[in-house]
Amino acid sequence: VYDGAPQRVTASAIGTDRVTPVDGTFDITYNGSPDAPTNAGTYNVLATFTSNDPDYLSTVVAGQLQISPAAPTINITGGGTINFDFNPHPISATALGVDGSTPVDGAFAYTYNGGTNAMGAILPVGTYTLTATFTPNNPAGYTTATATVSITVTQATPSITWPTPATITYGTPLDVVQLNTTATNSIQ
């Protein structure tokens, strides 16, 4: 798996008894280069063994080295519990590389509850799963990755006002002057 470091193969020569090492040296190439590869991909490897033991021949062995792309770490900002307020509460995210601190170039798509675009959405009261899906600009180094966060939108509390009515004499019927209560949306 891609980790940002060169990926070297190792080789050893063992005698016919399948225990005793054979004295000699190896020259290893990756797609014809002596430099071990770092990036994800498939590399043709040649291990050329030069025997220092007169009882064993020098030889060349071919193989392949596969370095798979790594999954970036996705960190989401947002979510949690909020009171309904007629405002969108979008999430944002970052993708970090294998070292845990270097940003990975790419793009995010944000959805909630499995498919609706979450950017700029005003969510009604309820609980939602918000998903950030990351697509890297360099798919040879990193895979697509997703992360989720939950957001719960709770009911807003309306503001009720009731001005103190004028004094009335006992037995006077109540009318709109005394019963002039209004309820307003405190989040307008």
Side-chain angles (χ1 to χ4, degrees), residues 4 15 28 49 52 56 61 94 146-147 150 154 161 176 181 185:
I28 298 175
F49 175 68
N52 292 333
Y56 292 94
V61 177
T94 57
T146 61
S150 179
T154 59
T161 58
V176 295
T181 302
N185 180 352

Side-chain angles (χ1 to χ4, degrees), residues 37-62:
T38 300
N39 294 324
T42 302
Y43 298 88
N44 294 316
V45 178
L46 286 179
T48 304
F49 175 68
T50 304
S51 177
N52 292 333
D53 186 326
D55 292 330
Y56 292 94
L57 296 174
S58 297
T59 190
V60 176
V61 177

